[in-house]
Amino acid sequence: MKPTNLIIIMSDEHNPKMMGCAGHPDVKTPNLDALAARGTRFTSAYTTCPVCVPARAAFAAGKYVHQIGFWDNADAYDGSIPSWHHRLRAAGHHVASIGKLHFRGLEGDDYGFNEMQIPMQIIEGKGDLMGLVRRDLPERGLSWKIAKLAGPGETPYTAYDREICTRAQIWLREEAPKHRDKPWVLFVSFVCPHFPLVAPAEFYYQYPLDRISVPKQYAADERPDHPYLKDYTSSFLYDRFFDPDKLKKAIAAYYGLCAFVDDNIGKVLRTLDAAGLADTTRVLYTSDHGDNLGARGLWGKSTMYEEVAGVPLIIQGPGIPRGEKLRTPASHVDTYPFIMECVGADRPEMYDGHPGISLLRLAGGEQPERNVLSEYHGMGSTTGAFMIRHGRFKYVHYVAYHPQLFDLAADPEELRDLAGDPKHERILQECRAKLYAICDPAEVDARAKKRQAELLEAAGGREAVIKRGDLGFTPAPGYPAVFG
C-alpha cells in the first residue's frame, strides 16, 4: 500500500455500542458514523486490558499485557520497551502526541515522540496505588462521585478535551506542512467519555430523561452472580449511590459525552480536509476500553463484557475498503502492524514478538486462525481474568474462580452464561486449551501479583496506600489531585 500520513484518534472509556453506526438508537455520533461509512468498522474489536494504564502501554508496545509487564494503574509505561513511536521516530518519521497518554510521566522518560503536547500522565508517577492491593479489597472512598456529579455542566475533562481538539487543528494547519519528507503520525488522545459523568449542556439535553431506559439486568434479582463481579462491586461501590433519577442522569451524561467526543473528532477531521491532507492521510479511531454504564449493576471498567473489553475501531483512508463492517475479531495488538504499513515502515526490524495482524490485512479479507486476548490484573480484582474470542464464543477464565462462556451469535447481550451447561463442556475445554496456547494464566497471575507486591512494599505497604486514598479519576493537566 502507498505510504500515507496517519492520524490516530483515541478516546477514553467509549463503550463500543454507543455509536449510531453500531446501531444505538439514541446516541448521536454523526462524525464517527460518517468515518465508518467512508472506511471499515471492526464490529468485534477488543482492548488488551479493560483499564486505562495497561491498555495504553500495550497499545504503545503493540503487545499483550503479559508480554510487557505493565499490569495495572500503578504500573505505567516508562518507555523501556520499544513502542511504535520509538521505532517510527528512529526511522525518520515525525511522531506527535496531543492529549492523554497515561504513562509514568517522570522526568527523563523517553516515550518515543518527537513532541508531546499537554500530556496527561499518572499522578505523581505512582498512579492508583490502591489497585496494588489484591486481597481483602479496600472500599473505594470516592465511588460516590460517579453518581453525585452526574448531570449537565463542564469539568476539567471537558475543558481539557476542547484544548486537545484546538491544538490538533493548529497542528494540522501549521506543523503538518513542515514534514513532507516522510509520512507523519499524529496521536490525538481525548479523555472523554471517561467519568465524571458531566456533559456540556448542549449535548446533555439531547437525551431527555423520560426516554432513558434502565440498563439490562439492572434489577438486583437479574444481576449475574459471579464471585469476580462480587469482588469488584465490594470495592467500587458506584451503584450504592444511585437512585432512579441519578441513574438516568448518569446515562444521559454518558450519551452526551459520547456526542461531545464525536463533535471534537468532527472538528479535527474537517480541519484535515480543509488543510488539503485528507487524500494523503489515513485515520484510525478507537478507545482504550469501554464502560459498563450500569449494565448488570456495574459501572466503570474492569470486566470482560462486550461493553468494556470491546472497543470501537474504525479505519479510513486511501486503500481501505469503504462502508465495510467486519465481524472478524480484531485486537489493539493489530494496530501496531497497521501503523507500520500505513507509513511505509513495515520491515522485519520493526518487529520482535508482536502478535498482531495488520488491520489492513483483516480488512482485505484475511481470516486468521487465532484467538484474540484481553486480560486484567488490576483494581477491584483478587484474581487474574483472561478473555478470548473463539469463533462465536467468548470464554472468560479466572485463575481462582469458575469460568464464564457466552455464545455471542445467539446471545450478543451476554445474558446467558453457558459455562455450567453440560452441553457446552466440550467447547469450554476447547476454549481453555486455546487460552493456554497463548499464555499460562496461573503463571501470569503470579507474575503480576509478585510485581504488585513489590510496588506495594515500596509505597509503604497496604495501610499507607489506603491512607493515601482513592483518586476517583486522574486530574487533567494543571488541576490538583483530590484524594478521598
Side-chain angles (χ1 to χ4, degrees), residues 66 371-373 383-384 386-388 390 395-401 403 428-446:
H66 69 269
N371 305 95
V372 297
L373 170 74
T383 184
F386 301 78
M387 181 280 294
I388 64 165
H390 183 54
Y395 171 71
V396 187
H397 181 97
Y398 303 100
V399 173
Y401 297 139
L428 197 69
Q429 294 305 318
E430 185 176 310
C431 288
R432 186 178 188 275
K434 293 291 185 180
L435 171 61
Y436 271 78
I438 300 172
C439 66
D440 180 339
E443 183 276 329
V444 172
D445 183 52

Side-chain angles (χ1 to χ4, degrees), residues 1-2 4 40 279 282 315-322 360 363-364:
M1 306 221 18
K2 182 179 178 180
T4 69
T40 295
D279 292 338
R282 295 186 178 100
I315 56 174
Q316 182 269 327
I320 294 172
R322 295 175 62 90
L360 290 172

Side-chain angles (χ1 to χ4, degrees), residues 10 12 52-57 60 76-77 84-85 96-105 111 113 115-122 160 164 187-190 288 477:
M10 179 178 280
D12 196 312
C52 299
V53 172
R56 289 168 178 270
Y77 181 64
W84 55 264
H85 353 124
S97 167
I98 303 174
K100 179 174 181 175
L101 292 174
H102 236 185
F103 296 163
R104 187 170 67 172
Y111 305 120
F113 294 107
E115 55 176 312
M116 297 187 300
Q117 296 188 32
I118 53 171
M120 176 194 286
Q121 311 288 27
I122 65 169
Y160 182 47
I164 292 166
F187 182 52
V188 181
S189 184
F190 296 109
D288 54 357

Side-chain angles (χ1 to χ4, degrees), residues 191-456:
V191 71
C192 292
H194 192 290
F195 50 82
L197 296 178
V198 180
E202 66 178 296
F203 299 103
Y204 176 84
Y205 288 111
Q206 294 180 23
Y207 306 99
L209 299 187
D210 60 358
R211 300 181 188 176
I212 299 291
S213 300
V214 174
K216 65 186 176 186
Q217 295 187 315
Y218 187 75
D221 61 350
E222 296 175 341
R223 298 178 183 183
D225 181 24
H226 193 283
Y228 180 86
L229 303 181
K230 289 181 179 179
D231 286 346
Y232 180 70
T233 55
S234 71
S235 184
F236 287 88
L237 310 174
Y238 298 135
D239 201 60
R240 176 184 295 180
F241 304 98
F242 278 101
D243 58 31
D245 182 59
K246 277 297 184 184
L247 173 67
K248 292 193 172 186
K249 285 184 176 181
I251 295 172
Y254 185 85
Y255 289 178
L257 288 170
C258 290
F260 172 65
V261 167
D262 180 83
D263 188 66
N264 282 325
I265 291 171
K267 291 174 182 176
V268 173
L269 296 181
R270 286 191 293 275
T271 302
L272 182 73
D273 186 53
L277 296 167
D279 292 338
T280 56
T281 305
R282 295 186 178 100
V283 179
L284 183 156
Y285 171 70
T286 192
S287 193
D288 54 357
H289 51 76
D291 190 297
N292 285 291
L293 197 63
R296 309 170 187 88
L298 302 167
W299 299 84
K301 44 259 187 170
S302 307
T303 73
M304 291 299 178
Y305 291 109
E306 291 292 283
E307 292 86 357
V308 180
V311 290
L313 183 58
I314 303 168
I315 56 174
Q316 182 269 327
I320 294 172
R322 295 175 62 90
E324 291 292 324
K325 292 188 291 185
L326 199 68
R327 290 180 293 179
T328 304
S331 166
H332 273 167
V333 298
D334 301 328
T335 62
Y336 182 98
F338 169 78
I339 293 166
M340 295 300 165
E341 287 190 348
C342 276
V343 302
D346 186 33
R347 299 186 296 274
E349 62 267 25
M350 295 296 193
Y351 300 90
D352 59 351
H354 291 82
I357 296 172
S358 173
L359 298 174
L360 290 172
R361 289 168 56 187
L362 297 178
E366 186 167 333
Q367 299 282 337
E369 287 290 333
R370 64 156 184 179
N371 305 95
V372 297
L373 170 74
S374 188
E375 58 187 292
Y376 186 77
H377 310 279
M379 55 190 191
S381 73
T382 62
T383 184
F386 301 78
M387 181 280 294
I388 64 165
R389 272 296 304 273
H390 183 54
R392 62 191 289 167
F393 292 96
K394 171 193 277 189
Y395 171 71
V396 187
H397 181 97
Y398 303 100
V399 173
Y401 297 139
H402 59 271
Q404 293 174 297
L405 181 70
F406 299 97
D407 182 347
L408 296 182
D411 177 28
E413 296 300 318
E414 299 170 284
L415 303 177
R416 298 183 299 277
D417 182 359
L418 303 174
D421 184 349
K423 295 179 181 177
H424 290 86
E425 181 61 29
R426 181 190 61 80
I427 192 66
L428 197 69
Q429 294 305 318
E430 185 176 310
C431 288
R432 186 178 188 275
K434 293 291 185 180
L435 171 61
Y436 271 78
I438 300 172
C439 66
D440 180 339
E443 183 276 329
V444 172
D445 183 52
R447 187 154 42 96
K449 288 176 176 175
K450 180 177 184 294
R451 165 70 171 168
Q452 289 163 335
E454 293 168 352
L455 290 174
L456 184 62

